[in-house]
Amino acid sequence: NNCKLDIYGPDYQGRYAQVESLIAERDVGDIVTLHHEITGKEKEQVLLNSDIFIQTSRTEGMPLGVLEALSYGIPCLITEGTNLRSDVEKANAGWGADTTATAIKNAIINAISERSTDKTKSANARNLANMRYSWDTISKSTVKKYQQLCTTKNT
């Protein structure tokens, strides 16, 4: 299907070597590449050259990687633990999956089969980031919440 999976992240507790071994063991090195974490312009370039951003998580506060990807118009495939799954699904800005290997596999297959919707999902991703998660939107929402709390406290 002309797809490639690039995995980025730190070597947490020696897991980099474990993932390298899994890639070799399953003989998928032609389509799966493991990279150390990246930042700055290099990260921006990688994101801009991506078709889909995948972040699976069981627990995540506010997933900055997902927010960055959405802001660049990159559809996201995420699990419930990222805390943004329902927003991404409602906005048609990507795909959601339960946190099981089978569900994630099926979501990836689904995302690949929906390539014709990439432009729509990309526009929706950018719109979601701008409408719900921009600094302007977040700051206005925060001030409004503080005002509500102050009003409630004073009554």
Side-chain angles (χ1 to χ4, degrees), residues 136-149:
D136 187 51
T137 301
I138 297 295
S139 62
K140 286 177 183 175
S141 173
T142 302
V143 168
K144 184 177 180 179
K145 190 56 98 174
Y146 284 144
Q147 288 171 335
Q148 290 172 345
L149 288 170

Side-chain angles (χ1 to χ4, degrees), residues 33-47:
T33 307
L34 184 61
H35 308 269
H36 287 282
E37 72 272 20
I38 55 174
T39 60
K41 288 288 183 193
E42 183 181 9
K43 181 179 180 182
E44 179 181 4
Q45 211 45 21
V46 166
L47 284 169

Side-chain angles (χ1 to χ4, degrees), residues 7-104:
I7 302 171
Y8 291 86
D11 185 10
Y12 181 73
Q13 296 183 346
R15 298 232 170 97
Y16 193 92
Q18 289 176 331
V19 176
E20 277 183 321
S21 292
L22 286 171
I23 292 168
E25 179 184 305
R26 288 171 171 78
D27 194 28
V28 292
D30 57 328
I31 60 170
V32 179
T33 307
L34 184 61
H35 308 269
H36 287 282
E37 72 272 20
I38 55 174
T39 60
K41 288 288 183 193
E42 183 181 9
K43 181 179 180 182
E44 179 181 4
Q45 211 45 21
V46 166
L47 284 169
L48 289 171
N49 289 321
S50 299
D51 295 318
I52 298 170
F53 182 85
I54 301 172
Q55 184 165 332
T56 58
S57 179
R58 287 182 176 82
T59 58
E60 192 84 26
M62 181 51 72
L64 295 181
V66 173
L67 295 176
E68 285 177 307
L70 292 170
S71 76
Y72 287 122
I74 302 165
C76 295
L77 190 159
I78 58 179
T79 55
E80 188 65 39
T82 64
N83 294 320
L84 295 177
R85 178 180 175 180
S86 62
D87 284 355
V88 166
E89 288 178 323
K90 285 177 194 170
N92 191 28
W95 306 264
D98 291 338
T99 312
T100 66
T102 300
I104 294 165

